[in-house]
Amino acid sequence: MASIAQAIRLALHVGESELGVTDIFGEDVGAPLGGVFTCTQGLEKTWNSPLDERGIIGTAMGLGLAGCRAVAEIQFCDYIFNTIDLLKLAGNSCWSSVGQFNMPIVVMTPVGSGIHGSIYHSHSFEAMMSHIPGWKIVLPSTPIDAYGLLLSAIEDPNPVMFLYPKALIRLPGEERIPGEPAEAKELSRMIDAPLGELRSKWKPSWPALPHYRIPIGKAKTIKAGRDLTVLTYGRLAPVSKTAAEALEAEGISAEVIDLRSLHPFDEEAILESVKRTRRCLIVNEDTEVTNYGEHLLRVVNTACFYHLEAPPVLLAGMNTPGIGLAWGLEEVQVPQRQSVASAMRELAQVHA
Amino acid sequence: MSNRGPSTPSSIKGRLRALEGGRRENETPDLRGVPSTYRGLAEPAMDKRLVHRMMAKSRVLEERLVQMTRSGDGYFWIGGPGEEAFNVCLGLLVKKGQGPEFDYLHLHYRSSAILVAMGMDVADALRQMASKATDPFSGGRNFVNHYAIKEWNVVPGASTIETQYAIAPGTALAQLRHGGDGITIVNGGDAGAAEGDFSTCLNWVSRPGRELPVLILVMNNDWGISTAGHETHGEQPIARRAEPYGIRWDTVDGNDPVASWKKLIEVLAYIRKERKPFCLEVAVSRLHGHSSSSGGARVTDETDCMVEFEARLAQEGVLSAAESKKIREGYAKALAETLLKIREEPDPDPSMVHDHTFQEEG
Ligand SMILES: Cc1ncc(C[n+]2csc(CCOP(=O)(O)OP(=O)(O)O)c2C)c(N)n1
Ligand SMILES: [Mg+2]
């Protein structure tokens, strides 16, 4: 099955060939590399920008204002921080002009830990981003969700921040993208650029891709359960799912919801599940102080207070200035399968 | 009242001399001025009476806006008295319309005269000043002189200094691809040119083989609020920073509408035809201080382009002093009446505060 990198490429291909995407650009996004994670290989509308994140966001905004459709990449979210006031302007363009100037841009950037990325290749960005109104924010954890959400992002007339978990970029998915060849090898032969000399003459051959979208704002229950609800996304979605599956042997039945969209988020799905299981664990790897999960805690507490059998819990990254390179540091700084499993176990055992 | 520091070059002429700078021989190729093909162009001819009327209308508007902070009709004023001579000429030369065929304008908060010359209804500026629901630019959400006019490609003006310079390459890229002679115009202050976004602009509009049609303006009033420009900027002139990027540049006395008109004719022709950027530094005055937060009072030690131009028009026999005065008084009277009506217009409805956070699909 396709990886997230391949899924992004497929979506961008649909974007540039069917949805009017005019520019796919950023640092090293164009040929020959096609992005440091190969997400933009083989596409027509790609180009290499100067090494200037403010220029990347600003130019995408200008293109959007002039009616073009730009998909801009920030190479790592760790380097997006110097663009925040431009992101704010992108988010307030429509509101401040009372609807005259919408801002139809997509910004993609890889987030999170899991690749021994140390201090500047491990950041999360969702809490910071959620403080910038006027944007939609998605963070898929699977190739098919990355594909469907990126297409929805491209079609959206508003700015959409497309975050994707860098630790999962190359992993094959479990669900086939409609139109994707049955054999992973076949897809690779079609759309992965060859190494070395051959690359300069190479052209991808794209599979025919039928219409498929994942709406922004819809969560996905990735494991059903009775005893508690786990709200998660990104790298920790599959981690939570695996941990929950293992806990079945201990008689703990956890439901795992992959939010996929963080703004807007699927409040209905969250509340339905939490009211049913009466316990809620939120799992992400961003630093824990004013964490996005704290917003979910408020939503859950306010709407489900009298349904809850235990105080809801947030398991998040440590509030440290960075993530250490040594594995022993990273391992304790952000949730891993063991700590997620422990948090589930503990929550399941609390009785009011 | 003056808050100008002691070491400030006193006159625009003095400042222009400073802007000339001391070029050392064989330093970098000389990119000063437009190429000879564009020098001496005279069309469209300057209609001095029209330029005067638009300057007068803009000045009267700004004076009324300042007054509105005192009469309780508005909270905060910031604007462009002192930039009318250049800005009116620019506004009259803009290719006005919607879409990449026409000019895009990325404007800072001293640009009222550009819009007055383009034909803006001055009542709308009053509406924004009074934060009325009828403010067509921002519906009572933004400060005065923060324009957004879709039909004229005036993209939303923001208070964030210099961000417009990072955005301008995007509209210009769309125009380059679209073809035609539409260009992108971006303006901002001298102090703001210290922000990285100014360098971003120079860089992104001059990628070799992918140059973009942008008029990069630096409106140099030698102030950033209370900080003297020449004490914080070592580079003189600022526009010369364009040179290593291969961008042509020049300076002009923005208090002189005749010189401004002439320079703009050449520069705009160059950008429209060659599809290349140009950086123009404009020496201007700041006649009411930075904003109402510093009182907004009239300063007396800076050149006033209105006074100078009216004296010149009288001397040339184009317009007598009495005629000029009558024109200004006419605008002032009309505006005072307009304000009375605007006071009665509705305030924004708080229940609609979420409107336009997102554009609906489709
Ligand atoms: C990014 C940013 N920093 C600071 C400010 C506060 N501020 C508003 S105007 C100004 C001075 C700007 O000076 P200049 O760029 O020369 O423009 P002028 O007001 O003189 O026309 C400052 C510091 C701001 N609005 N935006
Ligand atoms: Mg200034």
Side-chain angles (χ1 to χ4, degrees):
Chain A
M1 301 289 168
S3 64
I4 286 180
Q6 291 170 319
I8 289 175
R9 255 182 264 156
L10 291 172
L12 291 174
H13 165 66
V14 175
E16 66 180 17
S17 57
E18 294 174 29
L19 305 178
V21 167
T22 52
D23 295 84
I24 301 165
F25 69 105
E27 294 154 15
D28 309 296
V29 158
L33 190 60
V36 291
F37 292 107
T38 73
C39 294
T40 51
Q41 242 173 33
L43 296 156
E44 299 279 324
K45 304 285 186 187
T46 55
W47 49 278
N48 289 328
S49 75
L51 203 170
D52 173 11
E53 291 77 18
R54 291 183 67 82
I56 294 169
I57 300 295
T59 298
M61 290 167 65
L63 285 164
L65 290 168
C68 296
R69 288 267 169 169
V71 178
E73 178 169 274
I74 300 297
Q75 199 161 67
F76 295 89
C77 84
D78 311 65
Y79 307 117
I80 202 171
F81 291 79
N82 68 342
T83 73
I84 283 183
D85 64 341
L86 287 163
L87 297 179
K88 285 187 62 122
L89 288 168
N92 71 31
S93 180
C94 191
W95 191 85
S96 72
S97 67
V98 278
Q100 293 182 81
F101 287 94
N102 63 306
M103 185 61 75
I105 62 171
V106 179
V107 175
M108 331 194 282
T109 189
V111 298
S113 67
I115 61 158
H116 308 289
S118 86
I119 301 173
Y120 271 96
H121 299 78
S122 305
H123 266 291
S124 293
F125 190 59
E126 73 268 18
M128 200 72 85
M129 194 60 214
S130 70
H131 281 273
I132 307 179
W135 282 78
K136 299 185 180 179
I137 311 165
V138 300
L139 175 36
S141 71
T142 66
I144 191 162
D145 287 350
Y147 177 78
L149 280 167
L150 185 50
L151 286 170
S152 294
I154 289 167
E155 284 179 327
D156 202 291
N158 298 289
V160 181
M161 182 59 67
F162 181 89
L163 307 172
Y164 55 107
K166 69 173 86 75
L168 308 180
I169 289 175
R170 295 181 205 280
L171 298 183
E174 291 174 3
E175 238 178 297
R176 183 171 311 147
I177 294 169
E180 178 187 346
E183 291 294 321
K185 270 206 193 110
E186 172 67 0
L187 180 67
S188 174
R189 199 187 54 72
M190 293 172 83
I191 71 166
D192 289 345
L195 295 173
E197 290 280 288
L198 292 170
R199 182 171 286 199
S200 60
K201 293 201 188 69
W202 169 80
K203 282 231 177 314
S205 94
W206 300 102
L209 296 159
H211 188 273
Y212 182 79
R213 304 284 186 270
I214 291 177
I216 295 175
K218 287 274 170 252
K220 179 161 79 175
T221 303
I222 54 176
K223 184 193 165 300
R226 287 182 319 272
D227 303 331
L228 71 138
T229 298
V230 180
L231 304 177
T232 186
Y233 49 82
R235 179 182 72 84
L236 290 168
V239 169
S240 299
K241 183 178 178 222
T242 313
E245 281 164 355
L247 284 180
E248 290 283 340
E250 298 175 27
I252 297 170
S253 165
E255 179 147 306
V256 182
I257 297 182
D258 180 353
L259 257 53
R260 307 192 293 189
S261 289
L262 304 184
H263 193 87
F265 63 93
D266 196 341
E267 193 166 336
E268 199 184 325
I270 292 171
L271 299 186
E272 185 282 319
S273 176
V274 174
K275 284 180 183 169
R276 179 161 42 75
T277 65
R278 297 169 172 262
R279 286 181 166 80
C280 178
L281 170 67
I282 297 159
V283 180
N284 68 44
E285 62 178 2
D286 205 346
T287 44
E288 64 188 337
V289 177
T290 50
N291 178 289
Y292 176 78
E294 293 184 339
H295 177 60
L296 297 178
L297 280 179
R298 165 158 82 82
V299 170
V300 165
N301 271 331
T302 306
C304 308
F305 191 77
Y306 295 106
H307 295 79
L308 292 172
E309 281 183 23
V313 174
L314 169 64
L315 178 68
M318 279 184 188
N319 194 37
T320 45
I323 289 181
L325 177 60
W327 172 242
L329 300 177
E330 176 170 334
E331 189 181 21
V332 299
Q333 284 184 285
V334 286
Q336 310 294 350
R337 196 194 305 171
Q338 286 309 323
S339 50
V340 174
S342 304
M344 288 186 200
R345 203 179 282 118
E346 278 170 32
L347 182 61
Q349 283 159 5
V350 175
H351 288 284
Chain B
M1 281 269 290
S2 168
N3 54 353
R4 190 172 276 285
S7 59
T8 306
S10 54
S11 67
I12 290 278
K13 294 262 150 43
R15 286 233 307 289
L16 275 174
R17 265 197 303 280
L19 294 186
E20 300 292 325
R23 166 180 301 282
R24 286 183 292 277
E25 290 299 318
N26 306 325
E27 227 178 333
T28 40
D30 188 357
L31 292 168
R32 178 145 201 182
V34 293
S36 53
T37 340
Y38 298 94
R39 274 179 221 151
L41 295 183
E43 291 294 328
M46 180 181 186
D47 178 343
K48 288 183 183 169
R49 284 165 172 274
L50 175 64
V51 169
H52 171 264
R53 275 204 309 283
M54 292 300 105
M55 284 173 64
K57 196 173 185 182
S58 309
R59 175 62 59 84
V60 164
L61 168 64
E62 288 288 12
E63 286 172 350
R64 171 54 65 181
L65 295 172
V66 173
Q67 244 182 14
M68 285 172 72
T69 60
R70 301 186 184 133
S71 58
D73 286 296
Y75 299 110
F76 173 76
W77 169 83
I78 192 157
E83 300 197 5
E84 294 94 344
F86 180 87
N87 282 347
V88 162
C89 294
L90 178 60
L92 292 173
L93 293 170
V94 162
K95 189 180 177 197
K96 185 174 87 175
Q98 185 175 341
E101 186 67 31
F102 300 92
D103 294 350
Y104 280 95
L105 292 116
H106 301 254
L107 303 177
H108 80 147
Y109 45 73
R110 302 207 193 278
S111 305
S112 52
I114 299 174
L115 293 157
V116 168
M118 286 172 74
M120 171 182 76
D121 180 357
V122 285
D124 287 340
L126 264 53
R127 295 186 168 102
Q128 190 174 44
M129 182 70 200
S131 49
K132 291 293 184 182
T134 48
D135 151 24
F137 316 121
S138 72
R141 290 173 175 182
N142 213 342
F143 282 154
V144 73
N145 279 318
H146 287 52
Y147 298 101
I149 308 172
K150 180 89 174 179
E151 298 74 43
W152 294 355
N153 283 347
V154 178
V155 308
S159 299
T160 46
I161 295 293
E162 221 67 3
T163 46
Q164 66 274 27
Y165 289 83
I167 301 168
T171 52
L173 180 54
Q175 290 172 309
L176 182 72
R177 265 194 217 134
H178 179 271
D181 63 357
I183 67 167
T184 286
I185 297 165
V186 56
N187 69 6
D190 51 304
E195 297 274 8
D197 291 339
F198 188 73
S199 304
T200 287
C201 191
L202 294 175
N203 193 154
W204 285 67
V205 302
S206 64
R207 292 184 298 142
R210 297 185 176 86
E211 292 84 355
L212 299 177
V214 183
L215 172 57
I216 304 167
L217 293 166
V218 179
M219 305 303 289
N220 187 345
N221 57 17
D222 200 34
W223 285 114
I225 304 187
S226 68
T227 303
H230 62 282
E231 290 172 4
T232 45
H233 279 263
E235 85 274 36
Q236 293 290 350
I238 294 169
R240 197 172 148 202
R241 277 165 62 188
E243 211 161 86
Y245 294 90
I247 299 172
R248 292 199 159 267
W249 64 276
D250 212 341
T251 58
V252 69
D253 178 357
N255 273 325
D256 178 348
V258 177
S260 296
W261 183 271
K262 185 169 176 300
K263 188 70 73 186
L264 275 167
I265 295 275
E266 296 175 356
V267 167
L268 290 170
Y270 167 78
I271 303 171
R272 292 194 197 288
K273 186 87 186 302
E274 303 293 329
R275 316 307 287 153
K276 289 209 170 118
F278 195 97
C279 184
L280 182 61
E281 181 165 346
V282 187
V284 289
S285 298
R286 194 184 73 172
L287 293 179
H288 282 258
H290 176 69
S291 69
S292 57
S293 59
S294 53
R298 182 71 160 79
V299 301
T300 52
D301 61 347
E302 299 204 22
T303 310
D304 182 339
C305 57
M306 280 307 297
V307 172
E308 294 215 331
F309 193 41
E310 289 185 356
R312 179 173 181 165
L313 292 176
Q315 203 178 21
E316 291 176 1
V318 179
L319 208 63
S320 71
E323 283 170 315
S324 291
K325 187 159 175 266
K326 205 170 146 215
I327 288 171
R328 271 187 279 116
E329 285 173 353
Y331 284 130
K333 185 161 173 285
L335 214 49
E337 283 162 15
T338 306
L339 178 59
L340 294 180
K341 290 194 201 116
I342 287 173
R343 282 192 182 133
E344 305 308 316
E345 292 178 0
D347 295 322
D349 177 353
S351 73
M352 286 158 72
V353 73
H354 285 294
D355 285 13
H356 308 296
T357 300
F358 290 114
Q359 167 149 314
E360 300 305 317
E361 316 285 315

